[in-house]
Short mmCIF file of all heavy atoms in Angstrom, two decimals:
data_model
loop_
_atom_site.label_atom_id
_atom_site.label_comp_id
_atom_site.label_asym_id
_atom_site.label_seq_id
_atom_site.Cartn_x
_atom_site.Cartn_y
_atom_site.Cartn_z
N PHE A 178 -53.43 -66.22 -26.09
CA PHE A 178 -54.40 -66.17 -24.99
C PHE A 178 -53.90 -65.35 -23.80
O PHE A 178 -54.40 -65.50 -22.69
CB PHE A 178 -54.80 -67.58 -24.55
CG PHE A 178 -55.34 -68.40 -25.68
CD1 PHE A 178 -54.55 -69.34 -26.31
CD2 PHE A 178 -56.63 -68.20 -26.14
CE1 PHE A 178 -55.03 -70.08 -27.38
CE2 PHE A 178 -57.13 -68.94 -27.20
CZ PHE A 178 -56.32 -69.88 -27.83
N GLN A 179 -52.92 -64.46 -24.06
CA GLN A 179 -52.62 -63.44 -23.05
C GLN A 179 -53.79 -62.47 -22.98
O GLN A 179 -54.16 -62.01 -21.91
CB GLN A 179 -51.33 -62.70 -23.42
CG GLN A 179 -50.09 -63.58 -23.45
CD GLN A 179 -48.89 -62.80 -23.93
OE1 GLN A 179 -48.44 -61.86 -23.27
NE2 GLN A 179 -48.36 -63.19 -25.09
N VAL A 180 -54.35 -62.17 -24.15
CA VAL A 180 -55.60 -61.42 -24.24
C VAL A 180 -56.73 -62.41 -24.47
O VAL A 180 -56.70 -63.18 -25.44
CB VAL A 180 -55.55 -60.38 -25.37
CG1 VAL A 180 -56.95 -59.89 -25.72
CG2 VAL A 180 -54.66 -59.21 -24.98
N VAL A 181 -57.69 -62.44 -23.56
CA VAL A 181 -58.88 -63.26 -23.71
C VAL A 181 -60.05 -62.31 -23.89
O VAL A 181 -60.31 -61.46 -23.03
CB VAL A 181 -59.10 -64.16 -22.48
CG1 VAL A 181 -60.39 -64.96 -22.63
CG2 VAL A 181 -57.91 -65.09 -22.28
N GLY A 182 -60.73 -62.43 -25.02
CA GLY A 182 -61.69 -61.39 -25.37
C GLY A 182 -63.12 -61.85 -25.53
O GLY A 182 -63.43 -63.03 -25.65
N THR A 183 -64.01 -60.86 -25.53
CA THR A 183 -65.42 -61.08 -25.81
C THR A 183 -65.88 -59.99 -26.78
O THR A 183 -65.09 -59.12 -27.17
CB THR A 183 -66.26 -61.05 -24.53
OG1 THR A 183 -67.62 -61.40 -24.83
CG2 THR A 183 -66.23 -59.69 -23.86
N TYR A 184 -67.14 -60.04 -27.19
CA TYR A 184 -67.68 -59.12 -28.18
C TYR A 184 -68.90 -58.44 -27.59
O TYR A 184 -69.97 -59.06 -27.45
CB TYR A 184 -68.05 -59.89 -29.45
CG TYR A 184 -68.38 -59.04 -30.65
CD1 TYR A 184 -67.37 -58.57 -31.49
CD2 TYR A 184 -69.70 -58.74 -30.99
CE1 TYR A 184 -67.67 -57.81 -32.61
CE2 TYR A 184 -70.01 -57.99 -32.10
CZ TYR A 184 -69.00 -57.52 -32.92
OH TYR A 184 -69.29 -56.77 -34.03
N ALA A 185 -68.75 -57.18 -27.20
CA ALA A 185 -69.80 -56.47 -26.46
C ALA A 185 -70.58 -55.56 -27.40
O ALA A 185 -70.17 -54.43 -27.68
CB ALA A 185 -69.19 -55.66 -25.31
N GLN A 186 -71.70 -56.06 -27.86
CA GLN A 186 -72.56 -55.30 -28.77
C GLN A 186 -73.92 -55.02 -28.14
O GLN A 186 -74.31 -53.88 -27.96
CB GLN A 186 -72.72 -56.07 -30.07
CG GLN A 186 -73.71 -55.44 -31.05
CD GLN A 186 -73.76 -56.21 -32.35
OE1 GLN A 186 -72.81 -56.20 -33.12
NE2 GLN A 186 -74.87 -56.90 -32.59
N THR A 187 -74.65 -56.07 -27.78
CA THR A 187 -76.01 -55.94 -27.26
C THR A 187 -76.03 -55.16 -25.95
O THR A 187 -75.16 -55.32 -25.10
CB THR A 187 -76.62 -57.33 -27.06
OG1 THR A 187 -76.67 -58.00 -28.31
CG2 THR A 187 -78.02 -57.23 -26.48
N GLU A 188 -77.04 -54.33 -25.81
CA GLU A 188 -77.23 -53.54 -24.58
C GLU A 188 -78.57 -53.91 -23.94
O GLU A 188 -79.40 -54.59 -24.55
CB GLU A 188 -77.18 -52.05 -24.91
CG GLU A 188 -75.84 -51.61 -25.48
CD GLU A 188 -75.81 -50.17 -25.98
OE1 GLU A 188 -76.88 -49.49 -25.94
OE2 GLU A 188 -74.73 -49.72 -26.40
N LEU A 189 -78.75 -53.44 -22.71
CA LEU A 189 -80.03 -53.69 -22.03
C LEU A 189 -81.22 -53.21 -22.86
O LEU A 189 -82.25 -53.87 -22.93
CB LEU A 189 -80.04 -52.98 -20.67
CG LEU A 189 -79.62 -53.80 -19.45
CD1 LEU A 189 -79.54 -52.92 -18.23
CD2 LEU A 189 -80.59 -54.95 -19.20
N GLY A 190 -81.06 -52.06 -23.49
CA GLY A 190 -82.19 -51.45 -24.20
C GLY A 190 -82.26 -51.74 -25.67
O GLY A 190 -83.29 -51.48 -26.30
N HIS A 191 -81.19 -52.26 -26.28
CA HIS A 191 -81.20 -52.51 -27.73
C HIS A 191 -80.37 -53.73 -28.07
O HIS A 191 -79.29 -53.94 -27.49
CB HIS A 191 -80.65 -51.30 -28.50
CG HIS A 191 -81.54 -50.11 -28.50
ND1 HIS A 191 -81.45 -49.11 -27.55
CD2 HIS A 191 -82.58 -49.77 -29.31
CE1 HIS A 191 -82.38 -48.20 -27.78
NE2 HIS A 191 -83.08 -48.58 -28.83
N GLY A 192 -80.87 -54.50 -29.04
CA GLY A 192 -80.13 -55.67 -29.51
C GLY A 192 -80.03 -55.65 -31.01
O GLY A 192 -79.08 -55.14 -31.59
N THR A 193 -81.06 -56.17 -31.69
CA THR A 193 -81.03 -56.27 -33.14
C THR A 193 -81.00 -54.90 -33.81
O THR A 193 -80.37 -54.73 -34.85
CB THR A 193 -82.27 -57.06 -33.62
OG1 THR A 193 -82.24 -58.36 -33.00
CG2 THR A 193 -82.25 -57.24 -35.13
N HIS A 194 -81.66 -53.91 -33.22
CA HIS A 194 -81.66 -52.55 -33.80
C HIS A 194 -80.34 -51.86 -33.45
O HIS A 194 -80.23 -51.12 -32.47
CB HIS A 194 -82.85 -51.75 -33.26
CG HIS A 194 -82.92 -50.35 -33.79
ND1 HIS A 194 -82.85 -50.06 -35.14
CD2 HIS A 194 -83.04 -49.15 -33.16
CE1 HIS A 194 -82.94 -48.75 -35.30
NE2 HIS A 194 -83.05 -48.18 -34.11
N LEU A 195 -79.33 -52.12 -34.26
CA LEU A 195 -77.97 -51.67 -33.93
C LEU A 195 -77.84 -50.15 -33.91
O LEU A 195 -77.08 -49.60 -33.11
CB LEU A 195 -76.97 -52.28 -34.91
CG LEU A 195 -76.88 -53.81 -34.90
CD1 LEU A 195 -75.84 -54.29 -35.89
CD2 LEU A 195 -76.56 -54.33 -33.50
N ARG A 196 -78.57 -49.49 -34.79
CA ARG A 196 -78.44 -48.02 -34.83
C ARG A 196 -78.92 -47.38 -33.53
O ARG A 196 -78.61 -46.24 -33.24
CB ARG A 196 -79.21 -47.45 -36.02
CG ARG A 196 -78.57 -47.76 -37.37
CD ARG A 196 -79.20 -46.94 -38.49
NE ARG A 196 -80.63 -47.15 -38.61
CZ ARG A 196 -81.19 -48.14 -39.31
NH1 ARG A 196 -80.41 -49.03 -39.93
NH2 ARG A 196 -82.49 -48.25 -39.40
N GLY A 197 -79.70 -48.14 -32.75
CA GLY A 197 -80.20 -47.60 -31.49
C GLY A 197 -79.25 -47.78 -30.32
O GLY A 197 -79.55 -47.29 -29.22
N LEU A 198 -78.10 -48.45 -30.51
CA LEU A 198 -77.15 -48.63 -29.41
C LEU A 198 -76.70 -47.27 -28.88
O LEU A 198 -76.47 -46.33 -29.66
CB LEU A 198 -75.94 -49.46 -29.88
CG LEU A 198 -76.23 -50.90 -30.29
CD1 LEU A 198 -74.95 -51.59 -30.73
CD2 LEU A 198 -76.89 -51.69 -29.18
N GLU A 199 -76.53 -47.18 -27.57
CA GLU A 199 -76.30 -45.87 -26.93
C GLU A 199 -74.88 -45.66 -26.40
O GLU A 199 -74.52 -44.53 -26.06
CB GLU A 199 -77.27 -45.71 -25.75
CG GLU A 199 -78.74 -45.76 -26.14
CD GLU A 199 -79.64 -45.75 -24.92
OE1 GLU A 199 -79.88 -44.64 -24.38
OE2 GLU A 199 -80.06 -46.83 -24.48
N THR A 200 -74.08 -46.70 -26.28
CA THR A 200 -72.71 -46.54 -25.79
C THR A 200 -71.96 -45.56 -26.68
O THR A 200 -72.07 -45.63 -27.92
CB THR A 200 -71.99 -47.90 -25.78
OG1 THR A 200 -72.73 -48.82 -24.99
CG2 THR A 200 -70.58 -47.76 -25.20
N THR A 201 -71.22 -44.65 -26.07
CA THR A 201 -70.53 -43.62 -26.84
C THR A 201 -69.01 -43.75 -26.72
O THR A 201 -68.48 -44.20 -25.70
CB THR A 201 -70.92 -42.21 -26.36
OG1 THR A 201 -70.56 -42.07 -24.97
CG2 THR A 201 -72.42 -41.98 -26.52
N ALA A 202 -68.33 -43.37 -27.80
CA ALA A 202 -66.87 -43.28 -27.82
C ALA A 202 -66.52 -41.91 -28.40
O ALA A 202 -66.66 -41.69 -29.61
CB ALA A 202 -66.26 -44.39 -28.66
N THR A 203 -66.12 -41.00 -27.54
CA THR A 203 -65.88 -39.60 -27.94
C THR A 203 -64.37 -39.37 -28.03
O THR A 203 -63.63 -39.61 -27.06
CB THR A 203 -66.50 -38.63 -26.93
OG1 THR A 203 -67.89 -38.94 -26.79
CG2 THR A 203 -66.33 -37.19 -27.38
N TYR A 204 -63.93 -38.89 -29.19
CA TYR A 204 -62.49 -38.69 -29.39
C TYR A 204 -62.02 -37.39 -28.75
O TYR A 204 -62.63 -36.33 -28.92
CB TYR A 204 -62.15 -38.69 -30.88
CG TYR A 204 -60.66 -38.58 -31.14
CD1 TYR A 204 -59.80 -39.60 -30.74
CD2 TYR A 204 -60.12 -37.45 -31.74
CE1 TYR A 204 -58.43 -39.50 -30.96
CE2 TYR A 204 -58.76 -37.34 -31.97
CZ TYR A 204 -57.92 -38.37 -31.57
OH TYR A 204 -56.56 -38.26 -31.78
N ASP A 205 -60.90 -37.48 -28.02
CA ASP A 205 -60.26 -36.33 -27.38
C ASP A 205 -58.93 -36.08 -28.07
O ASP A 205 -57.94 -36.77 -27.80
CB ASP A 205 -60.05 -36.63 -25.89
CG ASP A 205 -59.41 -35.45 -25.15
OD1 ASP A 205 -59.09 -34.43 -25.80
OD2 ASP A 205 -59.22 -35.57 -23.92
N PRO A 206 -58.86 -35.09 -28.98
CA PRO A 206 -57.61 -34.86 -29.73
C PRO A 206 -56.46 -34.38 -28.84
O PRO A 206 -55.29 -34.57 -29.18
CB PRO A 206 -57.99 -33.80 -30.76
CG PRO A 206 -59.21 -33.14 -30.20
CD PRO A 206 -59.92 -34.17 -29.40
N ALA A 207 -56.78 -33.80 -27.69
CA ALA A 207 -55.71 -33.31 -26.80
C ALA A 207 -54.85 -34.45 -26.28
O ALA A 207 -53.62 -34.31 -26.13
CB ALA A 207 -56.33 -32.53 -25.64
N THR A 208 -55.47 -35.59 -26.02
CA THR A 208 -54.72 -36.75 -25.50
C THR A 208 -54.65 -37.89 -26.52
O THR A 208 -54.00 -38.90 -26.25
CB THR A 208 -55.39 -37.29 -24.23
OG1 THR A 208 -56.73 -37.68 -24.53
CG2 THR A 208 -55.42 -36.22 -23.14
N GLN A 209 -55.30 -37.70 -27.67
CA GLN A 209 -55.41 -38.74 -28.69
C GLN A 209 -55.96 -40.04 -28.08
O GLN A 209 -55.42 -41.12 -28.26
CB GLN A 209 -54.05 -38.99 -29.38
CG GLN A 209 -53.57 -37.78 -30.16
CD GLN A 209 -52.40 -38.09 -31.07
OE1 GLN A 209 -52.19 -39.24 -31.48
NE2 GLN A 209 -51.62 -37.07 -31.41
N GLU A 210 -57.08 -39.87 -27.38
CA GLU A 210 -57.74 -41.01 -26.75
C GLU A 210 -59.24 -40.96 -27.05
O GLU A 210 -59.80 -39.89 -27.34
CB GLU A 210 -57.56 -40.97 -25.23
CG GLU A 210 -56.14 -41.19 -24.75
CD GLU A 210 -56.02 -41.01 -23.25
OE1 GLU A 210 -56.61 -40.03 -22.73
OE2 GLU A 210 -55.35 -41.84 -22.60
N PHE A 211 -59.86 -42.12 -26.97
CA PHE A 211 -61.31 -42.20 -26.98
C PHE A 211 -61.81 -42.35 -25.55
O PHE A 211 -61.23 -43.09 -24.76
CB PHE A 211 -61.80 -43.40 -27.82
CG PHE A 211 -61.56 -43.25 -29.29
CD1 PHE A 211 -60.49 -43.90 -29.90
CD2 PHE A 211 -62.40 -42.48 -30.07
CE1 PHE A 211 -60.26 -43.77 -31.25
CE2 PHE A 211 -62.18 -42.34 -31.44
CZ PHE A 211 -61.10 -42.99 -32.03
N VAL A 212 -62.88 -41.64 -25.24
CA VAL A 212 -63.50 -41.74 -23.91
C VAL A 212 -64.82 -42.48 -24.09
O VAL A 212 -65.73 -41.99 -24.75
CB VAL A 212 -63.73 -40.35 -23.30
CG1 VAL A 212 -64.29 -40.49 -21.89
CG2 VAL A 212 -62.44 -39.54 -23.29
N LEU A 213 -64.91 -43.67 -23.49
CA LEU A 213 -66.10 -44.50 -23.64
C LEU A 213 -67.00 -44.38 -22.43
O LEU A 213 -66.51 -44.39 -21.29
CB LEU A 213 -65.72 -45.97 -23.86
CG LEU A 213 -65.28 -46.28 -25.30
CD1 LEU A 213 -63.79 -46.03 -25.49
CD2 LEU A 213 -65.63 -47.71 -25.68
N ASN A 214 -68.30 -44.28 -22.71
CA ASN A 214 -69.28 -44.12 -21.64
C ASN A 214 -70.55 -44.91 -21.92
O ASN A 214 -70.96 -45.10 -23.08
CB ASN A 214 -69.65 -42.65 -21.46
CG ASN A 214 -68.71 -41.94 -20.51
OD1 ASN A 214 -68.66 -42.26 -19.33
ND2 ASN A 214 -67.95 -40.98 -21.04
N SER A 215 -71.15 -45.35 -20.82
CA SER A 215 -72.51 -45.90 -20.85
C SER A 215 -73.41 -44.82 -20.27
O SER A 215 -73.57 -44.72 -19.04
CB SER A 215 -72.60 -47.18 -20.01
OG SER A 215 -71.65 -48.13 -20.44
N PRO A 216 -74.00 -43.96 -21.10
CA PRO A 216 -74.67 -42.76 -20.59
C PRO A 216 -76.01 -43.02 -19.90
O PRO A 216 -76.50 -42.15 -19.17
CB PRO A 216 -74.88 -41.91 -21.85
CG PRO A 216 -74.91 -42.91 -22.97
CD PRO A 216 -73.99 -44.01 -22.57
N THR A 217 -76.62 -44.19 -20.13
CA THR A 217 -77.92 -44.50 -19.54
C THR A 217 -77.89 -45.93 -19.01
O THR A 217 -77.01 -46.72 -19.35
CB THR A 217 -79.05 -44.39 -20.58
OG1 THR A 217 -78.82 -45.36 -21.61
CG2 THR A 217 -79.09 -43.00 -21.21
N VAL A 218 -78.89 -46.26 -18.20
CA VAL A 218 -79.01 -47.64 -17.73
C VAL A 218 -79.22 -48.58 -18.91
O VAL A 218 -78.64 -49.68 -18.98
CB VAL A 218 -80.18 -47.77 -16.73
CG1 VAL A 218 -80.45 -49.24 -16.40
CG2 VAL A 218 -79.88 -47.00 -15.46
N SER A 219 -80.03 -48.16 -19.88
CA SER A 219 -80.32 -49.02 -21.03
C SER A 219 -79.11 -49.21 -21.94
O SER A 219 -79.12 -50.08 -22.81
CB SER A 219 -81.49 -48.45 -21.84
OG SER A 219 -81.22 -47.12 -22.26
N SER A 220 -78.05 -48.41 -21.75
CA SER A 220 -76.85 -48.55 -22.59
C SER A 220 -75.83 -49.53 -22.02
O SER A 220 -74.79 -49.77 -22.63
CB SER A 220 -76.18 -47.18 -22.77
OG SER A 220 -75.60 -46.74 -21.54
N ILE A 221 -76.10 -50.10 -20.86
CA ILE A 221 -75.17 -51.07 -20.27
C ILE A 221 -75.12 -52.30 -21.17
O ILE A 221 -76.15 -52.85 -21.55
CB ILE A 221 -75.63 -51.48 -18.85
CG1 ILE A 221 -75.57 -50.26 -17.91
CG2 ILE A 221 -74.78 -52.60 -18.29
CD1 ILE A 221 -76.20 -50.51 -16.55
N LYS A 222 -73.91 -52.71 -21.53
CA LYS A 222 -73.75 -53.90 -22.35
C LYS A 222 -74.25 -55.12 -21.57
O LYS A 222 -73.96 -55.28 -20.39
CB LYS A 222 -72.28 -54.09 -22.76
CG LYS A 222 -71.72 -52.98 -23.64
CD LYS A 222 -72.40 -52.92 -24.99
CE LYS A 222 -71.80 -51.85 -25.89
NZ LYS A 222 -72.50 -51.75 -27.19
N TRP A 223 -74.98 -55.99 -22.28
CA TRP A 223 -75.66 -57.10 -21.61
C TRP A 223 -75.64 -58.33 -22.51
O TRP A 223 -75.88 -58.22 -23.70
CB TRP A 223 -77.11 -56.71 -21.32
CG TRP A 223 -77.78 -57.47 -20.22
CD1 TRP A 223 -78.55 -58.58 -20.34
CD2 TRP A 223 -77.76 -57.16 -18.82
NE1 TRP A 223 -79.03 -58.98 -19.11
CE2 TRP A 223 -78.56 -58.13 -18.16
CE3 TRP A 223 -77.16 -56.16 -18.06
CZ2 TRP A 223 -78.77 -58.13 -16.78
CZ3 TRP A 223 -77.35 -56.14 -16.69
CH2 TRP A 223 -78.15 -57.12 -16.05
N TRP A 224 -75.28 -59.45 -21.97
CA TRP A 224 -75.30 -60.76 -22.63
C TRP A 224 -73.97 -61.28 -23.19
O TRP A 224 -73.88 -62.47 -23.48
CB TRP A 224 -76.34 -60.84 -23.77
CG TRP A 224 -77.75 -61.00 -23.30
CD1 TRP A 224 -78.75 -60.09 -23.42
CD2 TRP A 224 -78.33 -62.13 -22.63
NE1 TRP A 224 -79.93 -60.57 -22.87
CE2 TRP A 224 -79.69 -61.84 -22.38
CE3 TRP A 224 -77.84 -63.37 -22.23
CZ2 TRP A 224 -80.56 -62.72 -21.75
CZ3 TRP A 224 -78.71 -64.25 -21.59
CH2 TRP A 224 -80.05 -63.92 -21.37
#
């Protein structure tokens, strides 16, 4: 319990229709990192 976690799937604009989720994770090979974004208001994780 040093790490206390949750599961962020549902968004303001989409729930059951998973393919419609809008949150993005874009890989940057220069830094070997993923850049995560909520590109729209409806993509904000909710619930």
Side-chain angles (χ1 to χ4, degrees):
F178 304 101
Q179 297 175 65
V180 164
V181 177
T183 186
Y184 191 85
Q186 174 177 290
T187 299
E188 298 173 357
L189 265 174
H191 290 92
T193 302
H194 180 51
L195 298 181
R196 290 192 302 275
L198 296 180
E199 300 174 81
T200 303
T201 60
T203 305
Y204 183 66
D205 181 357
T208 59
Q209 295 192 24
E210 293 175 317
F211 291 101
V212 184
L213 281 87
N214 272 295
S215 304
T217 63
V218 171
S219 57
S220 69
I221 296 171
K222 296 295 183 183
W223 203 266
W224 283 112

